[in-house]
Amino acid sequence: MLSVHLVAFFFSKLQEDPTKKVDRFLHAMRLNDEQLKDISARFQAEMKKGLSAESNDAAAVKMLPTHVRSTPDGSEKGQFLALDLGGSKFKVLQVKVREGVGLKKGGVEMEEKTYPIPKEVLIGKGTELFDHVSDSLKDFLHEKKITLKKKHPLAFTFSFPCQQSSLDKGLLLSWSKTCRARGLQGKDVVQALRQAINRTGGMDIEVLTLVNDTVATMMTCGFDDEFCEVGLIIGTGTNVCYMEEMRHVDLVEGDEGRMCVNTEWGGFGDDGALDDFLTEFDRNVDAASSNPGKQIFEKMVSGMYLGELVRLVVLKMANQGLLLDGRVSNALKTKGKITTAHVAAMEEYKNGLKNTRAILIQLGLNPSQDDCIAVQHVSTIVSFRSSNLLAAGLAAILTRMKQNRNLRGLRTTVGVDGTVYKTHPQYPKRLHKVVRRLLPECQVRFVLSDSGSSKGAALVTAVAQRLASLRHQVDETLSQFTLSQDQLQLVKARMRAGLEAGLKSKGPTAVKMLPSFVYHTPDGTERGKYLALDLGGTNFRTLLVKFKKGLRNTTRLYHKIYAIPLEIMQGTGEELFDHIAECVGDFLDYMGMKNTHLPAGFTFSFPCKQTAIDTGTLVSWTKGYKATDCEGHDVVSMLREAIKRRNEYDLDIIALVNDTVGAMMSCAYEDPQCEVALIAGTGSNVCYMEELKNIEKLHQETGSTEKDQGKPEEENDEQEENGAERGKEDSSMTKMCINTEWGGLGDDGSLDDIITPFDVEVDLHSVNPGKQRFEKLTSGMYLGEVVRQVLLDLTRGGLLFKGRVTETLKTPGIFQTKYLSQIESDRLALLQVRCILKQLGLDSTCDDSIIVKEVCGAVSRRAAQLCGAGMAAVVDKIRENRGLDHLNITVGVDGALYKLHPHFSKILQKTTEVLAPQCNVAFVPSEEGSGKGAALITAVVIKMQDGRLAA
């Protein structure tokens, strides 16, 4: 009975499908999707190692920076020579790149000649190899009748691993393939080529770029397909490159934009990362290779090794009696007898089995039909594993690109070159299918590269020249915003002159230097409850401010915000102030204080001429206000009259406050050294404590309003009768806070030498042409518009947004200053910059985003430097006023530009430090200047009045 079962088993095996026999034998080579995802994750980890400066030395996947920063955009043009050295022969080419114009696409024309490299040169001295290349280059120039008198730019495709430190410098890491020339490893191959050209003589050649063949493949496809950002070689060897975010490329300084990274992924697994996927056949191939333990991934997938893997499998199966009736031939035992070309032939659609039989017969074998089917299936499994492994690697790269750009899906094109991809009948389809299965959310297109390694090198050179030209033009434009130390010193001097002139003259001056009638900063003893009223825009705020004494001073604020409807902003003055009075009444009701008589400070952020602390005549409305019968009138009196008309509550308005002065007072409550304030927000302004004796315009006034802080006019006569007493009161009044209104600097033409054509455009289209010139260079209201003017100019010059001037870009005010703060953030990737631009209706490339960021930086840097120069003038004046060699002082700062812009504050501080070296200036953010500051001014005034009464 047992013998019957054995015979049955024997015959069942004889009739078994030969492919199943192979499947069982090669089960380790048949990879499922989970295994491929595992391999993909491992490759992603290896990529990170290679990109990191800390782990690159030990990384198996080297991730070499190529210094290629952009793919073609179709505007490239020029005529170039190209050398393509990658094996036992090389090409010399003349490449003409034609720019695309309108609907007509650009094109590339090439003439080429292939030169063999003798074997003795391939393994001889490196100088001999490059002398042979240089001699052949000269021969090509003669043959093609290319003039030797003219300088020719040359692109050099060098298909061996190099560590590049620039686009035209690369140290050879190692030879591969059949080349072993001595004395070049660790040397700069571009320099070696230049030296050989010099030795040959008679040529004027400028080697501009060193390009890997994989990068050249990507660039060639990128010329026709703007989405091509990956290059793949699968031929004798294998490699891939892709566009990586610069912020992840540790080996190159800078984090803006992208750079093509040559992965050298053939080394994946050299550190053991693929050991559990290696079969005995892989280990045998590796052991018999010229570089055991190296290029493990390449040995599993590339054309140099696929045929040998098939031979080893067939040999073992035959030795075990599973094929060819257990018979082997000497040819089958010989390394290299089955090639990748044989593998491709075996897998042809119609003639595959016929080709397999012919190949086996060539090897001295007598195969059966089942043998042919089995050997063909061996070939299929080996090549299928190759395409699967490549798909896993590509999936890792595409996943990384997608994550870098924070996208749910990715649309990209992979440029491909190499004999395996070109000649194997089923390889491309298998590769495409598995990549799309592993990444269903990505749209991946594969394009065969035409003469990739040659044409691509010329395109790299053309792109480099385009970028260099663009860089020069952009730099030339932005240089207008660069201020030298001498120019900043001049601005400081002009600001100082403006300050002095404004203090002397009652007449119109560029820097107005308005007296605030605030004689003291807080001393920390201020106590009590105060109201603060704040009108400065489309909202009106009412605040209750409480100052308490404890272990440390504390301040509590309660506030409500009320809208100012447009019809009231642009109605009558009486309607406006009645609305304000109504809001104050509502707030007092809300706080349960309607019957309480409270002192109040009124922050009124519009230009006023003050003649006392509680008196101010409106000079002109700004910020969209047009209420009638207000300009030329005392705004405090108008508010008092409106409160009287309501007859609901009593309010004692002690002080009319400018927001800049309020910011200083708020900061001084915490820091007694604070005697200056800067507003750097929508507007720009500075106030500071000036020596009273220097305010000559006050001494020109008739009467003594400057000495009657907070007093009704009827008390003036009484003061005049008590001159001795008044002198006693005035002894403490040695300083007064001056509201500089420095935004007017330059209205007299003093800044014309630093004003750019872009500033002129902004000024011409403003509501006040010729006015507030300094403010238009430094404040948040205008910086975004200056940037828009620059972007418009660059776009019209074809340097941005592909030269397309959109309606959005032509719209005044569309580029708000908040976008400068967002775009210049160090944490913001260029993809997010592109998102901001897209919100504005500006479709940008990565290169566009870099330029936009640079424009924003140039405009905001100049603004901060100008504010620093102005501040240096102010603090140096204070130091000289006091006869000091060195001044320690604090500046209270408020405004969104200072608080929100990522670099403004640092540049401002640094500029002030450099231009005022004898001053130690601390910049401190001022909180609630228009609320807390107004209350503090009120408290200081009341304290002074109480002191006078006590005296």
Side-chain angles (χ1 to χ4, degrees):
M1 188 69 178
L2 179 60
S3 60
V4 173
H5 282 295
L6 286 172
V7 171
F9 178 76
F10 177 73
F11 278 104
S12 69
K13 285 296 179 188
L14 284 178
Q15 296 178 14
E16 182 182 26
D17 183 344
T19 60
K20 291 183 179 177
K21 182 168 54 178
V22 174
D23 286 341
R24 257 197 325 275
F25 192 77
L26 292 180
H27 70 278
M29 282 193 175
R30 295 174 62 82
L31 303 174
N32 59 43
D33 281 2
E34 289 308 309
Q35 289 173 304
L36 294 177
K37 288 176 183 176
D38 180 19
I39 291 167
S40 186
R42 295 184 196 189
F43 185 66
Q44 282 195 67
E46 291 296 321
M47 291 169 72
K48 286 184 181 178
K49 284 184 193 175
L51 288 168
S52 168
E54 293 178 0
S55 53
N56 176 267
D57 285 345
V61 180
K62 286 302 180 187
M63 305 295 287
L64 302 173
T66 66
H67 297 268
V68 172
R69 296 173 182 265
S70 179
T71 52
D73 69 358
S75 66
E76 290 76 20
K77 57 185 177 181
Q79 189 166 301
F80 310 92
L81 293 174
L83 280 179
D84 183 1
L85 177 59
S88 59
K89 49 191 176 182
F90 71 97
K91 289 181 185 177
V92 184
L93 307 95
Q94 183 182 36
V95 184
K96 296 177 182 178
V97 182
R98 186 180 65 251
E99 179 184 12
V101 179
L103 296 175
K104 186 179 178 182
K105 292 186 68 174
V108 178
E109 299 170 11
M110 295 190 300
E111 287 188 272
E112 64 179 65
K113 184 175 180 179
T114 301
Y115 292 85
I117 304 177
K119 188 172 183 181
E120 62 271 18
V121 174
L122 283 171
I123 59 175
K125 292 181 180 178
T127 52
E128 293 172 353
L129 171 63
F130 278 100
D131 283 344
H132 177 70
V133 169
S134 178
D135 291 341
S136 302
L137 173 60
K138 190 171 185 179
D139 173 76
F140 180 83
L141 295 177
H142 279 299
E143 183 178 311
K144 301 298 179 183
K145 294 182 171 54
I146 299 170
T147 178
L148 300 178
K149 294 179 181 178
K150 180 183 171 186
K151 178 172 280 193
H152 298 284
L154 184 139
F156 184 22
T157 301
F158 188 72
S159 305
F160 302 94
C162 286
Q163 181 76 57
Q164 285 189 251
S165 54
S166 65
L167 203 51
D168 64 346
K169 184 176 182 180
L171 305 181
L172 176 63
L173 296 179
S174 61
W175 287 114
S176 58
K177 305 168 190 174
T178 56
C179 198
R180 292 287 181 275
R182 301 188 303 275
L184 282 174
Q185 203 157 323
K187 301 289 179 63
D188 179 8
V189 294
V190 174
Q191 187 61 21
L193 176 59
R194 285 172 177 156
Q195 290 168 352
I197 290 170
N198 288 337
R199 285 194 296 271
T200 300
M203 295 182 287
D204 192 359
I205 303 292
E206 184 180 13
V207 186
L208 294 178
T209 53
L210 175 68
V211 184
N212 175 275
D213 57 345
T214 321
V215 180
T217 295
M218 180 190 75
M219 297 296 278
T220 298
C221 292
F223 189 70
D224 296 314
D225 186 332
E226 63 179 312
F227 294 102
C228 185
E229 294 187 282
V230 184
L232 168 66
I233 298 286
I234 176 62
T236 307
T238 184
N239 197 13
V240 75
C241 69
Y242 72 103
M243 296 302 289
E244 174 62 80
E245 306 300 313
M246 271 293 292
R247 66 183 185 274
H248 296 145
V249 185
D250 284 1
L251 297 177
V252 179
E253 286 188 16
D255 58 1
E256 300 295 350
R258 295 178 184 147
M259 179 177 285
C260 181
V261 169
N262 166 24
T263 66
E264 290 294 338
W265 75 353
F268 180 35
D270 290 3
D271 56 358
L274 292 176
D275 281 2
D276 50 336
F277 289 100
L278 292 177
T279 66
E280 63 176 290
F281 309 108
D282 298 309
R283 297 182 195 281
N284 290 338
V285 164
D286 178 50
S289 69
S290 60
N291 56 347
K294 302 294 183 185
Q295 299 296 100
I296 296 300
F297 186 69
E298 185 169 76
K299 288 168 185 172
M300 297 172 78
V301 301
S302 79
M304 182 173 277
Y305 303 99
L306 293 184
E308 185 62 9
L309 284 168
V310 170
R311 184 188 72 82
L312 291 174
V313 173
V314 172
L315 180 61
K316 182 161 186 178
M317 289 186 74
N319 282 334
Q320 291 186 2
L322 299 172
L323 275 179
L324 304 165
D325 294 331
R327 292 190 297 272
V328 298
S329 63
N330 287 331
L332 187 59
K333 294 177 185 178
T334 304
K335 178 183 173 183
K337 284 296 184 180
I338 296 181
T339 66
T340 300
H342 291 146
V343 173
M346 290 182 200
E347 295 186 63
E348 280 187 15
Y349 292 107
K350 292 181 179 178
N351 299 318
L353 280 177
K354 179 182 173 184
N355 293 338
T356 303
R357 177 179 294 279
I359 290 164
L360 292 175
I361 290 171
Q362 258 184 354
L363 292 171
L365 300 167
N366 185 25
S368 67
Q369 181 68 7
D370 282 355
D371 288 332
C372 292
I373 293 170
V375 171
Q376 184 189 51
H377 197 52
V378 168
S379 178
T380 298
I381 289 175
V382 169
S383 63
F384 219 130
R385 184 186 68 157
S386 169
S387 61
N388 279 347
L389 288 171
L390 283 192
L394 276 175
I397 286 170
L398 299 175
T399 298
R400 180 173 178 83
M401 290 170 67
K402 177 168 67 78
Q403 291 171 347
N404 281 347
R405 302 172 193 188
N406 196 27
L407 300 172
R408 290 182 181 177
L410 177 72
R411 178 182 177 183
T412 194
T413 298
V414 179
V416 196
D417 203 355
T419 52
V420 174
Y421 189 88
K422 288 180 175 178
T423 62
H424 192 291
Q426 301 189 59
Y427 201 97
K429 183 177 68 176
R430 292 171 184 166
L431 175 64
H432 304 168
K433 185 176 180 181
V434 178
V435 168
R436 288 165 183 152
R437 195 168 71 233
L438 293 176
L439 292 174
E441 71 280 12
C442 295
Q443 297 178 50
V444 186
R445 181 171 177 249
F446 292 83
V447 174
L448 185 62
S449 175
D450 177 28
S451 304
S453 59
S454 309
K455 184 196 296 185
L459 286 169
V460 169
T461 309
V463 168
Q465 288 192 335
R466 169 176 63 80
L467 293 178
S469 173
L470 182 146
R471 178 77 271 154
H472 174 73
Q473 292 177 73
V474 170
D475 287 347
E476 200 171 68
T477 299
L478 297 187
S479 68
Q480 299 173 76
F481 294 92
T482 301
L483 299 174
S484 66
Q485 286 302 305
D486 288 345
Q487 287 175 305
L488 289 171
Q489 287 286 3
L490 277 173
V491 173
K492 176 189 172 184
R494 291 163 185 171
M495 179 64 79
R496 177 65 181 267
L499 299 175
E500 300 287 3
L503 287 172
K504 290 177 181 176
S505 174
K506 282 181 62 183
T509 56
V511 183
K512 294 183 175 57
M513 302 296 283
L514 303 175
S516 70
F517 296 89
V518 172
Y519 294 87
H520 298 282
T521 54
D523 61 10
T525 63
E526 289 73 22
R527 304 289 176 262
K529 300 177 183 177
Y530 305 90
L531 273 183
L533 315 178
D534 178 14
L535 181 67
T538 55
N539 292 321
F540 171 70
R541 281 198 315 160
T542 308
L543 305 94
L544 176 67
V545 185
K546 296 182 181 180
F547 300 108
K548 291 186 177 181
K549 185 176 181 181
L551 291 175
R552 59 189 298 274
N553 292 341
T554 59
T555 307
R556 299 191 68 179
L557 286 85
Y558 308 88
H559 74 104
K560 276 188 82 173
I561 298 175
Y562 300 89
I564 307 287
L566 184 64
E567 61 269 21
I568 289 179
M569 288 171 62
Q570 300 183 354
T572 67
E574 188 171 294
E575 289 169 343
L576 172 63
F577 282 96
D578 282 347
H579 179 71
I580 292 171
E582 181 184 349
C583 295
V584 173
D586 177 79
F587 179 75
L588 292 172
D589 214 16
Y590 171 74
M591 297 299 297
M593 303 179 71
K594 210 157 193 179
N595 297 320
T596 306
H597 183 75
L598 287 176
F602 183 20
T603 301
F604 189 75
S605 301
F606 302 91
C608 283
K609 181 181 179 182
Q610 282 189 254
T611 53
I613 189 67
D614 64 347
T615 306
T617 302
L618 176 63
V619 176
S620 61
W621 283 119
T622 58
K623 306 175 188 177
Y625 277 77
K626 293 182 181 177
T628 58
D629 301 321
C630 293
E631 293 179 357
H633 295 271
D634 178 11
V635 294
V636 177
S637 296
M638 294 183 76
L639 180 57
R640 284 175 177 152
E641 289 165 8
I643 292 170
K644 196 178 290 184
R645 282 195 295 273
R646 289 199 71 78
N647 198 28
E648 289 181 3
Y649 56 89
D650 192 14
L651 201 61
D652 189 5
I653 303 172
I654 300 293
L656 179 66
V657 183
N658 173 271
D659 56 349
T660 317
V661 180
M664 183 188 75
M665 298 295 276
S666 178
C667 185
Y669 185 64
E670 308 293 338
D671 184 344
Q673 285 194 323
C674 181
E675 295 186 82
V676 185
L678 165 69
I679 298 291
T682 306
S684 179
N685 197 15
V686 157
C687 70
Y688 72 101
M689 296 302 290
E690 177 59 85
E691 302 299 312
L692 200 57
K693 63 186 180 185
N694 293 337
I695 311 173
E696 294 182 23
K697 66 186 353 176
L698 274 183
H699 305 317
Q700 297 167 14
E701 298 275 0
T702 56
S704 54
T705 53
E706 74 272 23
K707 301 174 184 175
D708 300 328
Q709 181 175 3
K711 290 193 172 187
E713 289 183 13
E714 56 265 24
E715 294 185 16
N716 288 349
D717 294 338
E718 184 181 340
Q719 281 195 11
E720 287 174 7
E721 292 173 4
N722 297 283
E725 184 178 351
R726 191 185 69 205
K728 181 179 178 182
E729 293 167 6
D730 292 346
S731 63
S732 65
M733 296 182 184
T734 61
K735 300 174 189 172
M736 180 188 287
C737 182
I738 292 293
N739 166 24
T740 67
E741 291 292 341
W742 77 354
L745 181 70
D747 291 2
D748 54 1
S750 62
L751 296 178
D752 284 359
D753 55 332
I754 65 167
I755 285 175
T756 71
F758 312 108
D759 302 310
V760 172
E761 280 296 311
V762 170
D763 178 57
L764 283 174
H765 295 95
S766 68
V767 295
N768 54 348
K771 303 294 182 185
Q772 297 296 96
R773 300 307 299 272
F774 188 72
E775 184 169 73
K776 288 169 184 171
L777 304 178
T778 58
S779 78
M781 179 174 281
Y782 301 99
L783 296 189
E785 185 61 10
V786 175
V787 167
R788 186 187 71 85
Q789 289 291 343
V790 178
L791 299 183
L792 194 57
D793 181 73
L794 292 175
T795 305
R796 284 172 175 156
L799 305 176
L800 261 184
F801 309 129
K802 297 181 179 177
R804 291 197 289 265
V805 178
T806 61
E807 288 303 314
T808 298
L809 201 53
K810 290 192 282 187
T811 306
I814 193 72
F815 204 98
Q816 298 172 32
T817 298
K818 69 176 182 179
Y819 296 127
L820 273 74
S821 298
Q822 293 172 11
I823 286 170
E824 289 188 68
S825 171
D826 293 330
R827 299 185 301 274
L828 203 65
L830 285 179
L831 180 69
Q832 293 164 291
V833 175
R834 292 176 72 179
C835 287
I836 292 171
L837 295 174
K838 193 166 187 179
Q839 289 170 17
L840 292 169
L842 301 171
D843 191 15
S844 64
T845 65
C846 182
D847 293 334
D848 290 337
S849 300
I850 294 172
I851 293 173
V852 170
K853 195 168 185 176
E854 288 177 358
V855 172
C856 292
V859 172
S860 64
R861 179 179 180 79
R862 183 189 65 167
Q865 287 179 317
L866 288 172
C867 285
M871 184 58 68
V874 171
V875 295
D876 253 350
K877 175 167 173 51
I878 294 171
R879 180 184 62 78
E880 291 174 18
N881 283 347
R882 300 175 189 181
L884 299 173
D885 291 329
H886 190 84
L887 174 71
N888 291 319
I889 198 165
T890 298
V891 177
V893 195
D894 203 356
L897 187 59
Y898 181 88
K899 290 180 177 178
L900 300 180
H901 192 282
H903 308 301
F904 188 95
S905 60
K906 295 185 185 70
I907 297 168
L908 165 69
Q909 292 168 30
K910 183 64 178 175
T911 307
T912 305
E913 179 186 331
V914 170
L915 297 180
Q918 293 171 269
C919 301
N920 181 25
V921 185
F923 290 84
V924 177
S926 176
E927 301 298 331
E928 277 296 342
S930 56
K932 179 181 171 183
L936 280 165
I937 291 173
T938 305
V940 168
V941 171
I942 290 174
K943 189 165 63 172
M944 286 182 63
Q945 289 175 346
D946 291 347
R948 284 178 178 178
L949 292 173

